Amino acid sequence: MIHIRTHEEIELIRKSALMVTATLTEVAKFLKPGIATISVDAMAEQFIRDNGGKPSFKGYNGYPYTLCISVNEQIVHGFPGSYILKDGDIVSVDCGVYMNGFHGDHAYTFAIGDVKVEVLQLLNVTKQSLLLGIEQAKANNRVGDISFAIEQYTAKQHGYGIVRELVGHGVGMELHEDPQVPNYGRRGDGKRLKENMVIAIEPMINLGTRDVKTLEDGWTVVTADGKPSAHFEHTVVVRKDKGEALSTFVPIEAAERANKELNSSHYAIETQMM
Ligand code: MF3
Ligand code: CO
């Protein structure tokens, strides 16, 4: 069953989604070469609890952490751990927050230092494909209209591999609700969208092949060819003319830019002193 949410429920989902945005903004400030991904997870969990939320993922089907942190060829569900971030990495950070009876679900892929142009392009195209998908999240469209828009832009136009094993989903009182929202498909296929349904749209796009493998930890999904993968996600409410994202990239992007300038000016000063 696909829920239609009341105005009050949507505003509560917005609060949870914006708490995820705030968490990812803290993550954006925190990320730099030399830090271990487990310390990002610890910081995020503390931030969420200090603000009266609960991490949605921790304990979900036995998932052990607050964040999914997936580096380079890792697509999603990567475990935070002892891995030390280095210049040139890309890092997908996925986070859910539960507050006031509702979940928000939201993800962003960060570039650490100098990342290859072809990989930066993958990030930009994946992020843009999410925005194109959101435009299709309007009343009387079907789920396939979202899927088609994402597939068209990423695979057809840019030749990237679209992950098929994992999909977007309804989100609300449960982290995963109906309907499933694939990132590939045909216009006019699938369930009909109605005003005030709330869904998570989350393209997972690979630079190379679409094929994936799961690591021995039972969670971490990686690209079969070892090439990098990007993941961006918003919690979205279906509206009359286009979807409305309840989460936002604006403060995350601002923090990412400020952090980049800070780290590169440190670098410039260190270089000057040499
Ligand atoms: N954010 C993921 C999703 O979008 C869920 C993470 S799985 C979990 O569906 F087990 F870690 F929660
Ligand atoms: Co999700």
Side-chain angles (χ1 to χ4, degrees):
M1 187 189 86
I2 310 181
H3 297 277
I4 310 286
R5 296 299 176 191
T6 64
H7 174 75
E8 288 71 24
E9 289 172 331
I10 290 167
E11 290 314 306
L12 292 177
I13 299 174
R14 190 195 301 276
K15 278 194 180 173
S16 299
L18 288 177
M19 187 55 66
V20 184
T21 296
T23 308
L24 292 177
T25 303
E26 292 305 304
V27 168
K29 296 178 197 164
F30 194 82
L31 289 177
K32 60 177 176 185
I35 64 164
T37 56
I38 190 69
S39 65
V40 185
D41 190 74
M43 182 279 292
E45 177 167 7
Q46 192 63 47
F47 181 83
I48 291 166
R49 295 194 192 280
D50 286 348
N51 285 283
K54 273 183 53 181
S56 302
F57 299 173
K58 203 166 188 171
Y60 183 85
N61 291 336
Y63 187 78
Y65 300 100
T66 291
L67 303 176
C68 298
I69 303 186
S70 308
V71 183
N72 297 331
E73 79 285 359
Q74 297 178 348
I75 302 166
V76 286
H77 303 168
F79 281 5
S82 56
Y83 180 82
I84 308 284
L85 295 173
K86 61 177 195 313
D87 190 77
D89 282 344
I90 59 167
V91 190
S92 302
V93 181
D94 191 351
C95 180
V97 166
Y98 183 74
M99 273 172 35
N100 308 306
F102 292 93
H103 295 274
D105 189 7
H106 180 30
Y108 195 92
T109 303
F110 297 93
I112 306 296
D114 283 323
V115 167
K116 280 195 202 140
V117 173
E118 62 167 359
V119 180
L120 286 178
Q121 172 83 344
L122 171 72
L123 300 186
N124 285 333
V125 169
T126 304
K127 189 195 277 183
Q128 187 60 32
S129 78
L130 168 56
L131 304 182
L132 293 172
I134 292 171
E135 281 184 16
Q136 296 300 318
K138 61 179 179 188
N140 293 317
N141 259 4
R142 290 181 183 266
V143 169
D145 295 306
I146 299 172
S147 311
F148 177 83
I150 295 171
E151 177 172 10
Q152 207 47 29
Y153 189 60
T154 57
K156 300 272 159 55
Q157 237 172 288
H158 286 91
Y160 295 145
I162 299 175
V163 174
R164 295 182 172 230
E165 287 78 359
L166 298 138
V167 295
H169 49 92
V171 55
M173 292 197 236
E174 305 292 334
L175 179 62
H176 292 149
E177 298 182 352
D178 279 348
Q180 295 203 347
V181 184
N183 296 302
Y184 63 95
R186 292 191 328 206
R187 250 182 205 149
D189 266 7
K191 301 253 170 70
R192 192 178 290 284
L193 298 169
K194 298 192 184 130
E195 219 177 331
N196 300 336
M197 287 177 174
V198 179
I199 56 178
I201 306 179
E202 50 178 320
M204 289 152 266
I205 307 296
N206 301 344
L207 188 60
T209 164
R210 70 174 170 85
D211 299 335
V212 309
K213 298 188 296 194
T214 303
L215 300 186
E216 278 99 89
D217 61 24
W219 281 97
T220 313
V221 183
V222 302
T223 58
D225 61 7
K227 291 190 181 170
S229 180
H231 179 212
F232 289 86
E233 176 176 21
H234 273 314
T235 295
V236 175
V237 56
V238 175
R239 300 293 199 193
K240 270 205 182 71
D241 298 322
K242 59 182 163 83
E244 179 195 356
L246 297 176
S247 43
T248 169
F249 290 147
V250 172
I252 303 171
E253 287 167 343
E256 187 183 32
R257 272 195 304 274
N259 186 356
K260 212 151 263 169
E261 273 160 35
L262 192 70
N263 287 321
S264 61
S265 63
H266 283 168
Y267 177 74
I269 291 163
E270 281 162 23
T271 321
Q272 258 175 20
M273 293 191 319
M274 290 197 310

